[in-house]
Amino acid sequence: MKVIVLGAGVVGVTSAYQLAKAGHEVTVVDRQEGPALETSFANAGEVSFGYCSPWAAPGIPLKAMKWLFMDHAPLILRPKMDTAMLSWMAQMLRNCTSERYAINKSRMLRIADYARVSLAEVRAETGIAYDERMQGTLQLFRTRQQLDASAKDVKALAADGVPYEVLDPEGCIRVEPALRHVREKIVGGLLTPKDETGDCFKFTNALALKAAELGAKFVYGTNIKALDVEGGTVRGVVTDRETLRADAVVVALGSYSPMLVKQFDIRLPVYPVKGYSLTIPIVDAARAPESTVMDETYKIAITRLGDRIRVGGMAEISGYTNDLGQKRRATLEHSVTDLFPGGDVSKADFWSGLRPMTPDGTPVIGATKVKGLFLNTGHGTLGWTMSCGSAKLISDLVGGRKPEIDATDLAVSRYA
Ligand SMILES: Cc1cc2nc3c(=O)[nH]c(=O)nc-3n(C[C@H](O)[C@H](O)[C@H](O)COP(=O)(O)OP(=O)(O)OC[C@H]3O[C@@H](n4cnc5c(N)ncnc54)[C@H](O)[C@@H]3O)c2cc1C
């Protein structure tokens, strides 16, 4: 079958790899000059199978109000008269009940657990390297209140069968030795030892080469304008260069996915939530992290990627803009230098990306009412983590095979 994958971010490339492996004739189209040059470029590098929770949770509306007024705020809200933004926020609020949270979380965990196995398979069959480490995520608490509040996370991890360890400051130092220099700043931590880390950009680029070896074609520097649909069936894709023909099309355009499908009355509630990162060269490895440390106070992830530290976080709801504000940079610098001053911040690369967020936190994976048109998008905060699992799912769905895990509640029809 001829399949076109729209988007060469981590979601598009992993999908292309699985589709090519399944024997399809695959073409990937992207406006950039290579893979992973938008949101998949410099994310926080966490492959966090254990820490898979929707942002929409009970108590979040109140917490969000507090975050808005904090120094080094983890949440920034710039409301606009934008119906997409307002309706997305209203849907997000509706998902903050205990009942919705439990459903959404179980869906996310299902995909993440499948992604864990799928990523290991991809690693074994391709041998690609991407500054990967398998040393877990340490959620770091600076206050007694944070440690006490983690009791409900511990309960949830136990109920979901996710391995974890509650650590005192000495335990944290055992896992992350550089923390011994800031012993007085920490009261404890929660370790999810099965989590991994890795550079999403390196992974996506290496996997694109493997997909090409399997026959996938990559068409870069090409703007996707519209879908070509006749009689309710997709026939191809109209780009600024040519019209490409296909039997099936997979939309993996991240935050830009809703615009393309809107004309077919497919209401895809994906909205951009901007985040920021700094990539810092390490000058003193003894004061750098070993794996990922989540600084609970600022909701910032600090990750070791080879000879660099990647620090990323913040959620800014301000529409489709990648502007870089110096205030945000100051927040990232503050969090990383306070705990791991082993990098040269003056030489850091500052970046922002738009997380393609759904209001329920779960990606949209599956068929649409247009025959042959599939969606693999809306991976939000954990697109790198979930990519390999959702790629296998979409490949099975496109090929008409029964997926290895239940995907019936992941399609866009769940919003109907
Ligand atoms: C600060 C930050 C930290 C994060 N940290 C983590 C983390 O630690 N772990 C984790 O799992 N996830 C993390 N994420 C989330 C993760 O990065 C995203 O979920 C993931 O990159 C989304 O991948 P994607 O392929 O869907 O989107 P993208 O990477 O944005 O890919 C979409 C592609 O579509 C192309 N495109 C869009 N419109 C068009 C068009 N009209 N024509 C042609 N091409 C088009 C773009 O060029 C782009 O290449 C983080 C995100 C941010 C912003």
Side-chain angles (χ1 to χ4, degrees):
M1 202 184 343
K2 271 191 177 186
V3 186
I4 298 179
V5 176
L6 303 181
V10 68
V11 175
V13 169
T14 48
S15 303
Y17 173 78
Q18 292 297 344
L19 286 158
K21 209 175 101 179
H24 300 295
E25 198 182 314
V26 180
T27 303
V28 183
V29 188
D30 199 290
R31 61 186 170 198
Q32 298 291 344
E33 293 302 332
L37 288 171
E38 295 207 2
T39 311
S40 305
F41 182 66
N43 64 31
E46 265 184 278
V47 187
S48 190
F49 310 114
Y51 259 106
C52 225
S53 289
W55 277 2
I60 282 295
L62 200 67
K63 273 194 194 162
M65 294 302 284
K66 283 191 205 149
W67 288 334
L68 284 173
F69 299 102
M70 246 175 88
D71 267 351
H72 300 301
L75 176 70
I76 305 111
L77 181 59
R78 302 203 192 293
K80 294 183 181 171
M81 283 318 290
D82 167 1
T83 46
M85 180 196 271
L86 297 174
S87 115
W88 181 86
M89 286 188 349
Q91 286 188 66
M92 175 116 181
L93 283 175
R94 282 203 294 276
N95 275 284
C96 288
T97 63
S98 310
E99 202 184 19
R100 294 300 320 163
Y101 177 79
I103 295 172
N104 297 335
K105 185 169 169 128
S106 75
R107 288 173 177 165
M108 289 177 76
L109 272 172
R110 193 193 319 149
I111 305 168
D113 199 43
Y114 189 49
R116 183 175 52 79
V117 180
S118 309
L119 172 59
E121 263 172 31
V122 169
R123 241 189 342 249
E125 63 202 18
T126 62
I128 60 177
Y130 49 95
D131 286 336
E132 72 278 15
R133 289 189 175 204
M134 283 81 191
Q135 290 171 242
T137 300
L138 176 66
Q139 192 182 6
L140 197 72
F141 306 121
R142 293 169 182 254
T143 66
R144 188 84 230 163
Q145 203 185 6
Q146 289 169 352
L147 182 63
D148 293 345
S150 73
K152 68 171 188 337
D153 294 335
V154 167
K155 232 167 134 183
L157 290 171
D160 294 327
V162 178
Y164 67 88
E165 279 175 56
V166 179
L167 301 175
D168 61 10
E170 300 317 318
C172 294
I173 291 166
R174 183 174 42 78
V175 176
E176 287 289 351
L179 290 174
R180 70 182 177 277
H181 301 286
V182 289
R183 163 80 182 73
E184 73 291 351
K185 289 182 184 162
I186 53 182
V187 300
L190 177 58
L191 178 72
T192 35
K194 294 282 177 212
D195 283 356
E196 303 180 8
T197 53
D199 186 329
C200 182
F201 173 78
K202 283 192 180 176
F203 174 85
T204 310
N205 275 264
L207 194 66
L209 293 178
K210 294 291 176 188
E213 282 171 17
L214 293 173
K217 204 172 130 203
F218 286 81
V219 180
Y220 293 118
T222 300
N223 242 299
I224 297 146
K225 297 280 191 198
L227 294 166
D228 184 6
V229 173
E230 264 176 48
T233 301
V234 77
R235 299 281 175 218
V237 176
V238 183
T239 76
D240 56 355
R241 295 182 176 200
E242 59 184 324
T243 297
L244 300 163
R245 296 274 152 236
D247 304 305
V249 173
V250 175
V251 179
L253 294 172
S255 293
Y256 296 86
S257 304
M259 291 82 158
L260 195 72
V261 298
K262 200 174 160 189
Q263 71 176 109
F264 307 105
D265 200 26
I266 299 169
R267 284 168 50 203
L268 176 62
V270 170
Y271 196 77
V273 175
K274 190 179 175 184
Y276 297 85
S277 76
L278 275 181
T279 307
I280 310 164
I282 295 176
V283 287
D284 178 2
R287 303 200 78 168
E290 288 296 322
S291 190
T292 292
V293 172
M294 266 296 302
D295 185 345
E296 182 58 20
T297 302
Y298 304 110
K299 303 272 179 203
I300 278 173
I302 307 167
T303 299
R304 174 71 166 265
L305 293 177
D307 56 2
R308 300 158 298 151
I309 301 173
R310 172 76 50 74
V311 47
M314 282 171 280
E316 181 175 312
I317 304 172
S318 56
Y320 287 85
T321 158
N322 280 92
D323 295 352
L324 289 168
Q326 286 313 306
K327 218 173 148 188
R328 311 297 158 232
R329 183 181 176 127
T331 297
L332 294 174
E333 284 188 10
H334 172 77
S335 176
V336 69
T337 52
D338 197 41
L339 296 173
F340 297 103
D344 182 351
V345 175
S346 71
K347 295 210 174 93
D349 289 322
F350 186 31
W351 171 85
S352 76
L354 302 178
R355 299 179 187 89
M357 289 283 289
T358 57
D360 53 4
T362 312
V364 178
I365 307 166
T368 65
K369 59 186 170 187
V370 175
K371 200 162 164 242
L373 180 64
F374 295 83
L375 300 175
N376 191 10
T377 188
H379 293 70
T381 51
L382 288 170
W384 169 205
T385 301
M386 293 184 178
S387 57
C388 286
S390 64
K392 273 189 89 176
L393 283 176
I394 207 70
S395 170
D396 283 342
L397 293 167
V398 170
R401 291 182 302 275
K402 188 176 184 300
E404 289 169 328
I405 60 165
D406 180 24
T408 47
D409 53 357
L410 304 179
V412 70
S413 54
R414 73 175 187 262
Y415 298 111

